[in-house]
Amino acid sequence: MGLKECTVFLKKISELVLNEMPKADYSSIFNDFAESEFFLIDGDSLLVTCFCEKSLKQGQELHFFYLVECYLMDLIRKGGQFAIVFFKDAEYAYFNFPEIIPLRTALILHLQQNTTIDVLTKFSGCLSQEWEIFLEKSCPYFLIVADEGLNNLQTYLFNFLIIQSWAMKVNVVISSGQESDILRLYAFFMPSKLKNQEFLKKNEQKIENAYKTLIKHLEECRVLVLATLFGNLKWKNIMEETCETISLLKQLWPEGSDIRRVLCVTSCSMTLRMYYHFLENRRKTASDEKTNIQKVVNNCLTLQEMEDLCKLHCLSVVFLLHLPLSQRASTRVIISPWIKDIQTFLKMKKWCEYFILHNINIFEFWNLNLIHLCDLSDEILLKNIAFYYENENVQGLHLNLGNVIAKDYEHLWNTVSKLVRKFDVGKPFPLRMTKLHFLEKNPLPIKDISKEKMPNLGFIPVSSEVVHEFVGDILKDLPFLKSNDPIVTSLVKHKEFDELVHWHSHRLLSDDHDRTKCQFDEKSRNPYYLKSAQKYYVFQRFYGNSLESVSSKLIVTQAIKPKNFSEPKSKKAKETKAEIITRENKKRLLAKEEQKEEKKWNVLSFSIEEELKENLNSGIKNLEDFLKLCKSNLVKVKVEMVGLTACLKAWKEHCRGQEKGKTTKDLSIAVQMMRRIHSLMEKYPEFLQEADLQLIARCLQYLGFDELANSLSPTEVAGDDIKEKKKNIYSVGIGPVRFQLQYMGHYLLRDERKDPDPRVQDFIPDTWQRELLDVVDNNESAVIVAPTSSGKTYASYYCMEKVLKESDEGVVVYVAPTKALVNQVAATVYSRYTKNIPNGGSLCGVFTREYRHETLNSQVLITVPACLEILLLAPHRQAWVKKIRYVIFDEVHCLGGEIGAEIWEHLLVMIRCPFLALSATISNPEHLTEWLQSIKWYWKQTDSIIEKNNASKRNDGYRANFHKDYLRMKQSYKVRLVLHGERYNDLEKHICSVKHGEIYFDHFHPCAALTTDHIERYGFPSDLILSPRETVQLYDTMFEFWESWPRAQELCPEKFLHFKDKIVIKKLDARKYEESLKAELTNWIKNGNAEEAKMVLRNLSPNSAFGSENMEKMFPLLVEKLRKMEKLPALFFLFKLRDVEQNALNVSTFLKEKQERERPPQADKEAHVMANKLRKVKKSIENQKAIDEKSQKKPRKMDQSLIREAEYNNLLKILEKNLAISQEYTYADRKAVDTETLKMVFDRVQHSMKGGELKALAERGIGYHHRSLSFREKQLVEILFRKGFIRVVTATGTLALGINMPCKSVVFAQNSIYLDALSYRQMSGRAGRRGQDLMGDVYFFNIPEPKIEKLIKSNVPELRGQFPFRISLILRLMLLASKGDDPEDAKAKGYLDQEGNPVGFAGLVSHLHYHEPSNLVFVSFLVRGLFHNLCQPTQKGSKHFSQDVMEKLVLVLANLFGRKYLPAKFQDATVKFYQSKVFLEALPEDFGAALNEYNMSVTKDFASFLLIVSNLADMKQEYQLPVSKINFTGKEYEDSQLVSHLMSCKEGKVAISPFVCLSGNSDSDLLQPETPEHVILRTIGISHAQVPVLWSQKIDGQGRRMPLNAYALDFYKHGSLIGLVQDNRMNEGDAYQLLKDFSLTIQSISVSLRELCENEEDNVVLAFEQLSETFSEKLKKV
């Protein structure tokens, strides 16, 4: 491929990448816990991004390394696990940037030598075979890469890396435009899509050729560059020269040295030699061409001048060796650039540095200290020294160097002299022999920092007890302004815009609760509302019944006495008469019950016994159904014995038949026989007679378990005449233990308690569940961690019941993370309980952002976190808040999530009552419990203070006005941790593979996910549980791969201690065996048998093969295969909405096509004929009716019309039968749901968007479930799936969050960044329905094996708290404190003293708290009167505003509340837009100016704040690099006058990092727009993200403007969602959600403005009302 052709193709690749950019999702790359996953960073992207940082000056290497380490430290702190990759080919891109080449090499060496980060440098390029293999093995979540290089050629290289990653199914994250907060890192995330993968497949050869051509071109360019500098010296010659120089230095300094000294002397000597060679070449060329020699000399500087420059460089390196960072940070900043004539020499020197660093391995056996690779040179320091010698020194300023510096410098220069050899480089002193000025004579060579004055510093005094209590010890050391300071006095003069005279800015606004749509008017007596309320309750109960079959309980309020369940009552010595009578009555009742059950069995026994003879399996099923309902143990034993006898008979017959036919034995009969024996021996041993035991022994003997039979009944065995030959016929051929583990694993009995608990009627709770009941009884709090479907939610309902019984006022709040879960819990409460509450109170209420129902009028409130926060912070809701008795937090691990995590934290801190926090997946529950306990101790102290105050007020005759039962309930402040790790049913994993177009399943042993390194470092993951058959498989593999294993006999299943002589092996025994094997394998690794262990783990891996088929097309075949294996119902998890819907439709299409293919050929014709007949008959009936009505006489032909109707019905039935879907073409189980229920569920969605589609799919037993469905649509799928009608559901991760949809199998059918350790556990936990399946199956379809291994072995990430304070939150707390109905209580919440009255539009600001800082900017625009200037009606007196005004208003609001950024690079794309403008215009001029003023004012305040608190920084850490921890502290050097003179700029460098000061930055830079995070001192613990500024333009790390997406304004103009998908490159569902949020914001502003303004005719209020109406109208049409 030629260069021209190559360039055309490279542009095509660029366009492909550019087109994907606007579709990039700007979200947290540490997505809700993905930090436990491995990802990659492209080293060159990291280098370019940091190198282009605006605060960095060229040549400031230490500052550059600080930037790199800050970024990496941020990733490490957030739990990132990553490797950095530098490709060899990438180096070619820097031929034009010689200053970067040594920097890149130093960076690689520094990261390898001085940090523990994994740095990969072995790959030649991103298209190499090794790189592909590495990606397949390591399976990274994503790769961070730059979207733009230093020039086009480097950009092309980055594009190759991007498309190659996509082709390998690795997602891409763009390195520019990233933002970081306490817990997360936000970036543009570009997923690997099928079409991009296909692009590489189609153009594989072209891409490879283009890459080779590009690399070849870069190589040629490099050769040319080197030729201009080094003449005829080739790469090889220069390398030889380098090696020679290094070898000579090793002889001169045998004792070793430091990298800074080494690089200084070697690079100076080599560059001087090269320059000498360069001048020689020039002279030769000049004399050959007989040109003017004088001219050549003029263009090139002399060797002596370059020697002077090298001397200055040596001196600057000595300064680096001796001066601490604190001193260097005060260096004068020289702005003057180097003169052009020395550029050649400088380039040469950089290349020489590169060659030396590149050959660093030559120093291998020499003592070379590489610590200071990050600080090899400092250009500003060098310029400073040069400036002094060529300006100040010449003018008579003579300053001494100091003895140590002078000595060290002399040593370095003498070494240079010895290394040069070819010519004499002169003496070390004087430093300047020539008079040339190396720096240009700039008018202002030194940057003056002193001019940029910072404001007067100090805090504004506030008198507040709370402030003193919490931060008094910190504040006492900080400066405060005097009360007469102009800054303080100016705050009092608060003048508002004239138009706002009618506005009550201090008025308390209605809260979000009042504005949320009410389900129906709760107080209305209107029949329509009453009917809809009745319908609502009926459906909720029906929905609740689908969730669990528990009968409704009527609750009556009763005074509860404290009970203690832990100690049994001591029995009295003598029974009373009453007790005797009661006991006798009970006895009589039991006897009656026995008789009743006996009769039942006598009636059914014959049919069941017959069924057992006919078909053992269905007979056993009927038998077990009877056992479930039977209440008499005596009858149960009889039934079990019948089953056992039938099994023995069936086994004998089967074995005899098998002997004749020589087929293998069907062990399922033997399994059924052993199940009956388990049941009899374990559940009813006291009822077994001698004859029963003999039968059991006989059965065991037939199975070949002689020893067990002997232990049970020796006489039976001795007297038996089963001959040896016959024994072999009947025996299962393996030992009893192995048989039970291998074939009966999931049937093994669980250890369950037999003693009932009086508090629980429906079942016998386990020990850990009893502990939960104790927690609730004692009013304690608890963190509860137990697997999905283990029964932890039972405690929640017990808690609700307790509060409902206690009183009619107490409230229990249930906090769920999603609306779907809110609806589910509400339905469960409605179906579980009924209670007659006086004064119109309600049992259950709901509050979400979309709607509310009986929120403040109910005893059980179910809500989402944000809505509970609204109620807790609403000043006039505090009386209700005091009624809260308990709060239940479901799925509390959302505390570490991406969205709304801080709200969970606020709630846990703010609630004063006890709580229950439930989760299935927290890896550090102890830490969480400790933190929650510390909060409870705080509340304990506070409550006692409030109680004292109230008591003293009552004593003083003042009647405290607080809720009558506020502290009546004595709550406990204890927080318990309740852990339960055991799942009820086992989970087995399988990998789906495709061979020859067929789907196959390979069992995946969990240990195959582990490596010996992982086990050695972390041990076995706590939740890596093996099923019993997997345990046996592990033993067999261990036995196979270590022949002389000493403990082989001891750990053999038949010989294992806990199994010895046990007829019944229980689940707990199997678990002990599993633990012993795991411990043994760990010992192998630790005691020198790691190789054998490796073989074991490798051998457990399945050999699955993925075909090259399109896996999406195979999806229907996968579902069909699961149906054949009886593994339905199943949930199929995918992560893209489109694919969730498409795959469900594909399965439906597959069934339709199958039906079409297999439909009889005449069927369609018959249906057509039948439909015609039907039409004719219907018409004649209608005609006859019309005639009869006209004649108004009694119809004579009554018989005739009846015949016609009968004919019509008959034809209809025939047609329906013809068109009906037969069972093999649908996955629906029609028996599961009656027609009436089905109609009710379908009717609810008949008018919804996806209703028709979901109904058609449901007819085939298929459904889909994702966040964009309405709640009715979701409920249709949930109800029908739970009832067993729908058996195939495709879904996104939203289903995993607590939604009750248990199934037989779970299938992961799509790889995604959102499939991480946490979501895997949440989703796989759905497999295996308790009470229905004893085992759950998990299938991996189209998911790479390394990813599967990672999911199984990765720990769930730890929960880490975030800093939950923002300005808006503080304002909301102030409002609560000043306007709440109990200031004493508000103050305790640490909010503010009673005098802290918020001013201005604080209410409006806090109302829009979701949108900080836009809420503050909006109010500043309003106060300035900008909206009044804009909102002018079409004519005076009119209430209507023109389209132009409306569009401008939307433009302003889109800039504030519709901020969705596009990557900067997308602006380069040559794309045609059809309907949308796509890039949002800037604010109108007046708004832009006001925003700028607002930003500057806030920035100044923040800068002042930083300066005040800067003395809280830990300066020891500030002088350390964050990752490598290399220290740059030390005693300041005072012996040198020159050092004191050059380092004299100490002013204005207080609040910024000393590393950043090296580039000449100062405190005044804090006033610049978007000051980067790393500029600020990092140990103050203050993030720039907390500053409420809104920059009109966002600039990325490379200085490019990131445009805003104009989706809101574009939609307002054209009203088309399709337009947004096509032009604005948005996902349809996401676009709709964003527009809905934008519409809600306009609505909220509109309502707030109307409440604040008295003037009915105010233009701003009218304009917002008009806009709110038109925008929501447009949205409704969509």
Side-chain angles (χ1 to χ4, degrees), residues 1489-1557:
L1491 176 62
N1492 202 27
E1493 207 176 307
Y1494 164 85
N1495 283 336
M1496 284 320 294
S1497 154
V1498 173
T1499 305
K1500 262 186 190 159
D1501 289 346
F1502 180 62
S1504 310
F1505 172 71
L1506 283 175
L1507 292 170
I1508 296 168
V1509 298
S1510 59
N1511 64 351
L1512 300 175
D1514 175 354
M1515 289 317 288
K1516 192 182 171 199
Q1517 276 192 57
E1518 293 292 351
Y1519 292 125
Q1520 242 182 26
L1521 283 176
V1523 179
S1524 57
K1525 300 284 182 246
I1526 297 171
N1527 214 326
F1528 290 89
T1529 51
K1531 193 171 174 293
E1532 296 213 345
Y1533 192 81
E1534 290 166 357
D1535 297 349
S1536 166
Q1537 291 172 337
L1538 180 58
V1539 168
S1540 304
H1541 175 64
L1542 300 183
M1543 317 285 164
S1544 55
C1545 296
K1546 290 185 168 25
E1547 289 292 305
K1549 295 181 178 179
V1550 177
I1552 65 170
S1553 165
F1555 289 99
V1556 177
C1557 290

Side-chain angles (χ1 to χ4, degrees), residues 497 499-500 503 1401 1404-1405 1413-1430 1448-1449 1451-1457 1459 1482-1495 1590 1592 1649 1660 1664:
F497 176 67
E499 287 274 349
L500 297 177
W503 290 62
F1401 287 87
L1404 182 53
V1405 169
S1414 301
N1415 53 349
L1416 296 154
V1417 177
F1418 177 82
V1419 168
S1420 96
F1421 287 170
L1422 182 67
V1423 171
R1424 285 164 179 273
L1426 294 177
F1427 286 117
H1428 283 89
N1429 297 342
L1430 172 64
K1448 261 197 183 159
L1449 189 53
L1451 172 66
V1452 173
L1453 295 176
N1455 267 287
L1456 297 184
F1457 304 110
R1459 297 177 77 81
L1483 283 165
E1485 206 173 313
D1486 50 344
F1487 283 89
L1491 176 62
N1492 202 27
E1493 207 176 307
Y1494 164 85
N1495 283 336
L1590 187 83
S1592 54
L1649 296 182
V1660 174
F1664 269 94

Side-chain angles (χ1 to χ4, degrees), residues 1337-1357:
D1337 289 289
V1338 176
Y1339 296 91
F1340 296 100
F1341 178 73
N1342 200 14
I1343 298 202
E1345 212 168 300
K1347 175 69 175 269
I1348 298 169
E1349 290 167 7
K1350 226 176 271 179
L1351 292 174
I1352 290 171
K1353 73 182 171 199
S1354 288
N1355 272 330
V1356 176

Side-chain angles (χ1 to χ4, degrees), residues 37 85 142 293 414 677 840 928 972 991 1064:
E37 297 306 335
V85 59
F142 52 79
I293 290 173
N414 288 336
I677 293 173
L928 180 66
S972 162
I991 294 186
V1064 177

Side-chain angles (χ1 to χ4, degrees), residues 665 667 703-705 730-735:
K665 289 175 186 166
L667 293 181
L703 292 173
F705 307 153
Y730 300 124
S731 167
V732 290
I734 50 175

Side-chain angles (χ1 to χ4, degrees), residues 1335-1440:
M1335 192 166 76
D1337 289 289
V1338 176
Y1339 296 91
F1340 296 100
F1341 178 73
N1342 200 14
I1343 298 202
E1345 212 168 300
K1347 175 69 175 269
I1348 298 169
E1349 290 167 7
K1350 226 176 271 179
L1351 292 174
I1352 290 171
K1353 73 182 171 199
S1354 288
N1355 272 330
V1356 176
E1358 296 194 350
L1359 293 185
R1360 290 194 292 275
Q1362 38 238 304
F1363 185 71
F1365 271 102
R1366 294 196 73 131
I1367 303 289
S1368 299
L1369 176 68
I1370 294 164
L1371 251 180
R1372 290 165 79 193
L1373 298 174
M1374 288 177 176
L1375 273 168
L1376 173 61
S1378 67
K1379 305 197 175 182
D1381 36 27
D1382 186 349
E1384 185 70 44
D1385 172 48
K1387 199 169 94 181
K1389 286 179 178 156
Y1391 300 157
L1392 205 74
D1393 73 326
Q1394 282 156 264
E1395 298 155 19
N1397 293 311
V1399 293
F1401 287 87
L1404 182 53
V1405 169
S1406 64
H1407 197 77
L1408 297 170
H1409 65 272
Y1410 293 113
H1411 297 286
E1412 188 180 320
S1414 301
N1415 53 349
L1416 296 154
V1417 177
F1418 177 82
V1419 168
S1420 96
F1421 287 170
L1422 182 67
V1423 171
R1424 285 164 179 273
L1426 294 177
F1427 286 117
H1428 283 89
N1429 297 342
L1430 172 64
C1431 301
Q1432 296 299 327
T1434 42
Q1435 57 207 50
K1436 220 174 180 186
S1438 163
K1439 291 184 181 180
H1440 185 76

Side-chain angles (χ1 to χ4, degrees), residues 367-582:
N367 183 17
L368 175 62
N369 183 343
L370 292 171
I371 283 177
H372 290 100
L373 274 162
C374 53
D375 190 23
L376 298 173
S377 66
D378 181 337
E379 195 167 307
I380 288 181
L381 180 59
L382 178 59
K383 281 184 176 179
N384 240 310
I385 296 169
F387 182 80
Y388 162 74
Y389 279 107
E390 64 195 40
N391 290 299
E392 296 162 311
N393 186 260
V394 173
Q395 288 162 14
L397 183 65
H398 298 291
L399 303 169
N400 74 340
L401 285 175
N403 284 339
V404 179
I405 287 180
K407 224 176 179 179
D408 220 341
Y409 158 68
E410 207 170 331
H411 173 59
L412 289 186
W413 189 248
N414 288 336
T415 308
V416 171
S417 183
K418 287 170 190 167
L419 289 172
V420 169
R421 289 183 322 237
K422 280 189 183 176
F423 51 89
D424 181 30
V425 293
K427 299 273 184 290
F429 295 104
L431 266 108
R432 291 296 311 255
M433 298 291 287
T434 59
K435 292 201 169 122
L436 175 77
H437 277 240
F438 294 133
L439 293 166
E440 282 183 15
K441 290 189 175 173
N442 215 336
L444 266 178
I446 300 174
K447 182 180 176 185
D448 187 7
I449 294 165
S450 60
K451 282 182 185 170
E452 296 156 7
K453 266 310 226 191
M454 294 298 285
N456 192 7
L457 296 183
F459 282 127
I460 294 162
V462 175
S463 56
S464 157
E465 286 172 39
V466 176
V467 173
H468 287 302
E469 188 183 330
F470 285 100
V471 288
D473 53 336
I474 299 172
L475 289 177
K476 69 178 192 294
D477 303 325
L478 299 174
F480 276 84
L481 296 174
K482 299 261 186 330
S483 54
N484 60 356
D485 191 288
I487 293 176
V488 180
T489 51
S490 70
L491 287 173
V492 183
K493 301 165 192 156
H494 179 74
K495 185 166 182 340
E496 287 177 340
F497 176 67
D498 293 344
E499 287 274 349
L500 297 177
V501 91
H502 298 292
W503 290 62
H504 294 271
S505 60
H506 299 264
R507 184 181 282 167
L508 195 63
L509 292 167
S510 61
D511 61 17
D512 284 283
H513 170 265
D514 294 331
R515 297 181 187 186
T516 304
K517 189 175 114 190
C518 187
Q519 181 80 358
F520 26 74
D521 187 352
E522 289 142 14
K523 301 281 176 281
S524 168
R525 295 289 101 202
N526 180 328
Y528 171 76
Y529 285 122
L530 289 171
K531 194 178 177 188
S532 54
Q534 193 181 3
K535 259 182 167 176
Y536 171 79
Y537 294 127
V538 166
F539 182 78
Q540 286 296 78
R541 286 197 184 94
F542 165 72
Y543 181 34
N545 276 329
S546 83
L547 289 155
E548 50 178 29
S549 48
V550 178
S551 50
S552 184
K553 188 186 280 187
L554 176 67
I555 303 236
V556 182
T557 310
Q558 54 198 48
I560 292 199
K561 291 166 192 160
K563 296 177 190 173
N564 187 359
F565 292 96
S566 46
E567 289 175 36
K569 290 179 189 173
S570 55
K571 286 195 174 178
K572 290 181 195 172
K574 200 179 175 190
E575 269 186 311
T576 62
K577 199 173 182 183
E579 281 172 342
I580 294 169
I581 294 168
T582 310

